[in-house]
Amino acid sequence: MTTLAIVNARLLDPASDYDGPGAVLIQDGRIARVIHGSAPDLTADETVDAAGLCLAPGLIDIRVKTGEPGAEPKETLKSASLAAAAGGVTTIVVQPDTEPAVDDPAMIDFIQRRGAALNLVNVRAAGAATKALDGQRMAEIGLMDEAGALYFTDGDRVITNSRTLQRVMSYAAAFNALIACRPADPWLTEGAVAASGELATRLGLSGSPAIAERIGLERDLALVEQTGARFLVDQISTEGALETLARARAKGLDVAVSVSINHLCFNEVDIGDYRTFYRLDPPLRTEADRQALIEAVREGLIDVITSAHAPAPAEDKRRPFAEAAPGAVGLETLLPAALSLHHQDGLDLLDVLRPLTHGPAALLGLDAGVLADGAPADLILFDPGAPVVIDADRLRSKSKNSPFDGRRLQGRVAATFVAGRKVFET
Amino acid sequence: MTQPHAVAEQTIHERLIPFPKAHFLAASDLNPFVTPRLLDLADAFVDFNRQSSKALDVLHGRTVVNLFFENSTRTSSSFEIAAKRLGADVVTMPVASSSVKKGETLIDTAVTLNAMKPDILVVRHSASGAAELLSQKVGCAVVNAGDGRHEHPTQALLDLLSMRRAFGDVTSLTVAICGDITHSRVARSNVALLQMMGARVRLIGPPTLVPGDADRWGCEVFHDMREGLQGCDVVMMLRLQLERMAGALVPSTREYFRFWGLDREKLAWAAPGVRVMHPGPMNRGVEIDSDVADDLSVSLIQDQVEMGVAARMAVLASLAQREDAR
């Protein structure tokens, strides 16, 4: 029975709204005691003096793509785990759109076992909502749920067949399983590679209109209302969709919503003259949309911020814009990128951290994401003001497609603990 | 006595100017000062091309590679003839049917070609931005011969040359560009270049074929031909890409022709002395009536083909001149 004390820290716990000095005592991988204010002398086998650094729950990233299984040159569970540890992410939820798709309990089991064997961060899995992500045949939601799948989604693919989605939602309700969908009208977004607007028109790129997201969301929410499913609106990106969501919540619908860090940090202008690292799905929107999303984070309307980690090797990105693979890596840059919302956009630190820790934990029913007695000792120590220059070549991900490459940000992870074990240290 | 051929050649050498940029990727690579001088040079090439002997040595020893990922006999031939008349060694790569199918990426192709040390790459590709991407990866000059729905800048230059020769001055012209604006790289390049040179540009087409924010391009937008054509000096018709009919952008070719196809009746709404243009190939009876297209008193369509070679000679010669000046 070993104990570890972390003292002289600035504790940041969004779950209890505590931001102040304190210390934490860890025993057998769990938090044994959280002390607010000046700590009495803690007796422990090992003591870490945080010297005023922030101590917060480890980040929980619920939207991480890996290449494993099927496309290991892009990213393996190991390289993703290393990137996560370095980024202060203590739990990753792997997306099911691999090759083959994660659509049966054996695949869920494979990912979790492989992740556990790495002994780095917590590796969990989301299962496919439909078999082979075909949008037609319901996957084994019950068995995958039993095997440990945290939620069910067809990833970037919209389930266009409303009857299928209705059945998936209705069936999942029996297991109290969470269903996540990207809101988009597939006909309006067909072939789109950028946000509709003057810039896309000038560059000759097919645009995705903002209303496509709203239309998709209206449909999904209507089905939620009918089926009573637990639902996550995955990757909201427009102001219009936020309004739709607010109306649904006012009606009493219990729906969660996530946003990618990229959509909080960049806007459509960043694609510049065809910079493919900014080719994302959904595409980067207008500055007004970005500001509305930041405001939604400030007001607590956003439950989860994700890295939307989507590794793509150079050969998939060094193509003409419309032909380049969408997506960006983000595990390792998630914290400094999120802290820019504090430094540049004036958000309170706890408001920034909440959708990265307590928000996803509460949504997925994990006991992590809090600084509380008995919770897993998944923690990060970080310096929120330390300047960093992102160098994509030095990222631990196998793919280096970071839109933050070369950006100056603030916030450095000093150490990452998973179950009380240090898995990363600067 | 000096031969007319020699006079033309001397004029060409006197008018040679370095291209303003290392590549010609978009109309915005030109500027209001250099464009008239490029057109002057192209004028000299027009005279030269009308003679029986058409061999020059402006690009002697240079290698021009035509890299057409999209089939286009007309543009490819125009560039090939232009380069050959300037004395270049020309290679036309059949990439539309070979390397792409083997899974080679555009960058791989570029790197391979670059190793063969060409001097000028002429590129057409179905993806917007492809020419710009190539220009970042090769050591030679790149000419955009059409990238997706983005730009086709040499087409805009040859159109401008055709207009200047027909009217003398383009600054006071009102030009209507009609048809499928949304999918047209010709329209984008022409809007930019014509506005740069002071012409007024109108866009006319059904709402499904005109971008919603086209009014922000500084153009007047019309959905009615009668209104849009009033007072226009030039009517530039665009090809209706018939494959887009399946996308229900317009209900039928006959309905399209009824409202937006150019015939004598609609042409009468334009200014007296109006001239008609079309980048080709034409869908006769869809966007333009043969009666108008073939009437040499109003149509500049054949002139555009001739000016295409001269304008491209001017671009290739100027790009080489820039290299020489470095």
Side-chain angles (χ1 to χ4, degrees), chain B residues 247-265:
Chain B
L249 290 165
V250 287
S252 69
T253 51
R254 68 177 185 177
E255 177 161 329
Y256 183 80
F257 184 72
R258 165 75 180 77
F259 293 103
W260 291 282
L262 188 67
D263 56 15
R264 289 273 176 206
E265 187 189 343

Side-chain angles (χ1 to χ4, degrees), chain B residues 310-322:
Chain B
R312 284 163 183 139
M313 287 172 81
V315 169
L316 296 177
S318 300
L319 281 166
Q321 187 78 7
R322 179 186 169 92

Side-chain angles (χ1 to χ4, degrees), chain B residues 97-114:
Chain B
S97 56
S98 61
S99 46
V100 171
K101 286 189 179 162
K102 289 181 202 157
E104 187 173 270
T105 68
L106 183 61
I107 300 294
D108 292 336
T109 307
V111 170
T112 305
L113 275 174
N114 201 40

Side-chain angles (χ1 to χ4, degrees), chain A residues 197-198 201 204 274 318-319, chain B residues 107 128 133 149-150 188 213:
Chain A
E198 195 267 338
T201 308
Y274 307 109
R318 290 166 63 207
R319 288 171 177 267
Chain B
I107 300 294
S128 301
L133 179 65
R149 55 168 88 165
H150 178 223
R188 279 172 184 73
D213 39 29

Side-chain angles (χ1 to χ4, degrees), chain A residues 5-47:
Chain A
I6 302 173
V7 298
N8 285 330
R10 174 182 172 190
L11 300 189
L12 288 163
D13 181 26
S16 63
D17 267 332
Y18 182 76
D19 176 357
V24 167
L25 182 68
I26 297 162
Q27 189 171 2
D28 291 339
R30 293 201 168 255
I31 296 173
R33 244 179 102 194
V34 179
I35 298 145
H36 291 176
S38 58
D41 286 342
L42 283 174
T43 315
D45 300 328
E46 187 187 347
T47 301

Side-chain angles (χ1 to χ4, degrees), chain A residues 196-207 273-274 315 317-323, chain B residues 103 105-107 125-130 132-133 136-137 147 149-150 188 211 213 216-217:
Chain A
S196 281
E198 195 267 338
L199 183 79
T201 308
R202 182 167 61 74
L203 293 175
L205 299 174
S206 293
D273 287 331
Y274 307 109
E315 62 267 27
K317 276 292 183 185
R318 290 166 63 207
R319 288 171 177 267
F321 194 86
E323 295 177 1
Chain B
T105 68
L106 183 61
I107 300 294
H125 198 282
S126 58
S128 301
E132 178 158 330
L133 179 65
Q136 296 162 7
K137 305 293 175 190
D147 62 328
R149 55 168 88 165
H150 178 223
R188 279 172 184 73
D213 39 29
R216 291 172 63 184
W217 298 1

Side-chain angles (χ1 to χ4, degrees), chain B residues 40-106:
Chain B
D40 292 343
L41 176 60
D43 269 330
F45 282 125
V46 174
D47 294 342
F48 180 80
N49 287 340
R50 287 178 178 176
Q51 297 165 160
S52 55
S53 175
K54 302 180 181 67
L56 280 170
D57 60 359
V58 175
L59 291 186
H60 178 71
R62 313 274 183 142
T63 306
V64 175
V65 175
N66 264 344
L67 196 55
F68 277 57
F69 291 88
E70 244 184 19
N71 290 322
S72 163
T73 311
R74 174 186 294 253
T75 308
S76 171
S77 309
S78 182
F79 271 105
E80 189 167 336
I81 289 170
K84 281 184 170 163
R85 285 185 183 166
L86 292 168
D89 297 317
V90 184
V91 183
T92 298
M93 309 283 286
V95 280
S97 56
S98 61
S99 46
V100 171
K101 286 189 179 162
K102 289 181 202 157
E104 187 173 270
T105 68
L106 183 61

